[in-house]
Amino acid sequence: MKIQESAENYLEAILVLSNQNGTVRSIDIAAYLQFSKPSVSRAMSLLRQNGYAEMDKDGLITLTPKGLEIAERVYERHRLLSTWLVSLGVSPDTAAEDACRMEHVISRESFDKIKEHVARYQSGGEA
């Protein structure tokens, strides 16, 4: 299931905003991602057409199971990579920016190994 990085960013944003606010509208996504309203509107249309998101009559956006699966995967990568980079001494802002880029291109194998390494490190094992 490979989708474009921009779609992954939108799905992740919907997940984060939904967790923070309970409901999500296009205007919330535009503010969160610092994108124009027309850009968000176009992206939401494409996400709906491809079965990743839904919008009700009141403009509330939700993720479909397929969209939620992708959003959760990307968000897990983002959180873990950010935490890992900070633990290596990278500033939190830089770590978040780098994690945002890395989360889209890292292989499952590499991510799983970093995840294992972080788990060992956090449990007191060797780094």
Side-chain angles (χ1 to χ4, degrees):
M1 170 178 6
K2 182 66 178 152
I3 65 171
Q4 290 185 348
E5 179 178 330
S6 62
E8 289 180 342
N9 284 332
Y10 278 101
L11 295 172
E12 182 183 17
I14 295 167
L15 176 65
V16 169
L17 290 166
S18 179
N19 289 340
Q20 286 176 355
N21 307 330
T23 59
V24 181
R25 296 179 187 277
S26 292
I27 189 78
D28 303 320
I29 298 166
Y32 181 81
L33 294 174
Q34 299 181 339
F35 291 164
S36 71
K37 290 180 212 171
S39 294
V40 172
S41 180
R42 175 70 178 136
M44 289 300 96
S45 176
L46 291 172
L47 290 175
R48 288 192 315 273
Q49 286 174 14
N50 289 297
Y52 296 114
E54 297 174 340
M55 184 183 293
D56 71 12
K57 61 180 176 41
D58 297 321
L60 297 177
I61 298 166
T62 56
L63 296 171
T64 64
K66 181 167 77 166
L68 181 61
E69 179 184 339
I70 294 167
E72 287 176 337
R73 183 189 73 233
V74 173
Y75 190 48
E76 176 192 24
R77 288 176 177 207
H78 181 90
R79 288 188 331 261
L80 186 113
L81 291 168
S82 292
T83 300
W84 179 58
L85 290 169
V86 168
S87 77
L88 295 174
V90 177
S91 73
D93 288 344
T94 300
E97 289 175 23
D98 288 348
C100 195
R101 287 189 294 275
M102 294 166 65
E103 69 196 23
H104 303 288
V105 296
I106 192 169
S107 70
R108 181 176 297 255
E109 178 184 5
S110 293
F111 178 74
D112 288 345
K113 291 301 179 185
I114 291 170
K115 191 174 175 178
E116 289 172 16
H117 173 80
V118 169
R120 276 194 317 272
Y121 179 78
Q122 289 176 338
S123 67
E126 292 187 27

